Amino acid sequence: MNRLVTAERALRTAAPHQLLDAVRRVLTDQYAADSVELYLADYGLTALQPVSVPPHTLQPVSVYNSPAGRAFGAQEPYVETISGDPGDGVRVHLPVTVRGDRLGVLTVTLPGGEHADGCLGELAEIAEVLGHEVVVAERDTDLYLQARRRDRLTLAAEMQWQLLPGRSCSRPEYELGAQLEPAYAIFGDNFDWSATADRLSLYVTNGMGEGIEASLLTNLAINALRNARRAGLPLADQAALADQAVYAHYRGRCYLSVLMLDIELATGRVRAVDAGSPRLLRLRRGAVQRVPFDAQLPLGMFEETDYVAQEFVVEPGDRLVFVSDGVYDAASPGGEAYGAGALARAIQSTRLLRAAEVPRAVLRELSGHRGRTVPDDDALVVCLDWRGR
């Protein structure tokens, strides 16, 4: 039995909380690894957190200026020479990614550079299998969710993160990335996506209120939208049923803004429902423009609101950037709103980054404008790079 199959079998048969132990044993026995560590990206996408049990002996690693962070950002294996001489040993940093969702990095210390070159492809495959097993294991253990935390999550943030599909996703037709801020204390902003063989559904939401009340409102609306979508209803009817669900519970006291897109993967034809404050900007052939929609009422504001879907077309090479009002309305210390101009410049300055990296980069620029550690409102950025078929 070859060693790659041995590694896959060990991971698939390991207990959910023992995936790192299983991959460590296999890589030590089959690949002569000196050490094996798993790091998962924290909720703020600023650090790679070690997966371990107390007492913790490893420190977090920066996403921005570390060898492991380089592998995470580029999504390619990175080989680090330990002592300046490749013959003395190397550390191989391998991205742990599942269908474009960047989970973290597997770091393997090997006895020499030539040894690493001969097994780099196999190690990359093992890191990918490990990523799939981590996603499955999270149903049965909190170990990997706990490892992602640099700080304690508020209850509202816990509810919001559990609602999300992931933070990035990739298919031949498109690449998606999204990020929320403040990561450890978010309230009402959220996003959701789902794909079939023919379509991509993408929702960006902004619920009113703060804390638990905002999270409860968002949970109700997102699950109502999912319920309607999974029943096979068209976009406008999804919005109408979610509107009824929110109104039935809150009677107009609370409501939720949403921008909903349904994209045909074969043609790039888009149906959209704009019900509130999230905005969409398009980067096409170097120019940034806002995509205009006819404004419709937020979900749950009035009883039995009718919604109408509008249409437009995305072209291969288009980048779509969705933002909540916590981005474009964010104020500087002098009271100046971030606004469309600064947002367009941020989109231009990040045009060479992959879609998964754009939201974090835009939010970093926003933080510089805001000049405060703790923002007044949630901020959400979603980036969709459209390749088409």
Side-chain angles (χ1 to χ4, degrees):
M1 184 186 304
N2 71 54
R3 55 189 184 178
L4 179 57
V5 173
T6 301
E8 291 181 352
R9 178 168 295 180
L11 283 168
R12 297 191 193 285
T13 58
H17 62 283
Q18 292 181 326
L19 295 178
L20 179 55
D21 291 337
V23 76
R24 187 176 279 150
R25 283 194 301 269
V26 171
L27 294 184
T28 300
D29 295 342
Q30 302 291 327
Y31 294 86
D34 294 326
S35 67
V36 179
E37 301 296 342
L38 174 62
Y39 297 85
L40 295 179
D42 86 307
Y43 287 105
L45 285 179
T46 60
L48 295 167
Q49 298 280 116
V51 175
S52 59
V53 295
H56 303 288
T57 57
L58 296 175
Q59 295 299 313
V61 175
S62 172
V63 166
Y64 303 116
N65 55 10
S66 68
R70 181 168 174 172
F72 181 79
Q75 286 296 286
E76 294 179 356
Y78 178 71
V79 179
E80 174 194 8
T81 302
I82 296 176
S83 63
D85 183 354
D88 291 342
V90 296
R91 287 191 189 93
V92 180
H93 304 280
L94 305 149
V96 178
T97 303
V98 179
R99 294 188 176 92
D101 191 9
R102 305 180 304 162
L103 304 182
V105 172
L106 180 67
T107 296
V108 183
T109 304
L110 296 170
E114 292 184 2
H115 179 67
D117 292 340
C119 60
L120 194 58
E122 291 183 8
L123 292 175
E125 288 191 53
I126 291 171
E128 183 178 351
V129 174
L130 175 60
H132 283 268
E133 293 304 315
V134 166
V135 171
V136 174
E138 285 181 347
R139 299 180 306 180
D140 302 308
T141 179
D142 288 335
L143 176 65
Y144 309 105
L145 294 173
Q146 289 174 319
R148 293 176 180 165
R149 301 165 191 228
R150 297 193 70 180
D151 299 301
R152 186 177 183 274
L153 288 176
T154 64
L155 178 55
E158 185 87 51
M159 295 167 66
Q160 294 291 60
W161 281 110
Q162 290 299 307
L163 197 60
L164 298 177
R167 284 188 293 195
S168 50
C169 178
S170 180
R171 277 185 53 173
E173 300 89 353
Y174 61 84
E175 185 176 337
L176 268 166
Q179 179 62 17
L180 289 160
E181 186 187 89
Y184 292 86
I186 50 175
F187 302 126
D189 287 3
N190 209 276
F191 58 87
D192 191 30
W193 58 61
S194 178
T196 65
D198 304 314
R199 321 188 75 83
L200 169 66
S201 299
L202 174 60
Y203 312 143
V204 178
T205 60
N206 181 10
M208 67 179 295
E210 297 182 356
I212 300 299
E213 291 303 318
S215 290
L216 289 171
L217 170 62
T218 302
N219 270 262
L220 173 60
I222 289 290
N223 280 292
L225 289 168
R226 288 174 175 171
N227 179 256
R229 182 184 72 222
R230 292 164 183 169
L233 299 181
L235 200 67
D237 291 343
Q238 294 175 32
L241 284 182
D243 170 72
Q244 291 173 22
V246 175
Y247 185 83
H249 187 77
Y250 290 100
R251 313 303 297 180
R253 299 188 309 275
C254 298
Y255 45 86
L256 177 132
S257 298
V258 60
L259 178 56
M260 307 169 58
L261 267 62
D262 179 71
I263 308 173
E264 290 183 358
L265 299 181
T267 64
R269 181 184 174 203
V270 183
R271 293 180 180 88
V273 171
D274 180 9
S277 59
R279 293 184 184 178
L280 172 58
L281 293 97
R282 178 179 58 212
L283 174 62
R284 174 179 289 175
R285 292 186 284 274
V288 178
Q289 291 182 322
R290 183 179 172 186
V291 179
F293 298 107
D294 294 334
Q296 302 181 67
L297 293 173
L299 305 185
M301 181 173 281
F302 298 106
E303 188 174 10
E304 296 185 358
T305 303
D306 290 326
Y307 293 90
V308 178
Q310 300 173 248
E311 294 188 5
F312 67 99
V313 176
V314 285
E315 299 177 0
D318 281 358
R319 167 168 286 180
L320 303 181
V321 179
F322 306 77
V323 296
S324 65
D325 59 1
V327 177
Y328 56 80
D329 282 344
S332 69
E336 180 184 0
Y338 191 61
L343 183 56
R345 288 191 294 273
I347 293 172
Q348 286 279 14
S349 67
T350 57
R351 65 188 181 279
L352 299 180
L353 297 179
R354 299 177 61 166
E357 298 177 83
V358 169
R360 181 69 257 172
V362 172
L363 288 171
R364 285 215 318 270
E365 294 201 24
L366 175 68
S367 179
H369 166 84
R370 200 169 46 221
R372 294 186 303 277
T373 304
V374 180
D376 295 332
D377 193 8
D378 291 357
L380 165 63
V381 179
V382 179
C383 180
L384 170 64
D385 280 351
W386 181 255
R387 305 187 191 103
R389 287 183 180 170

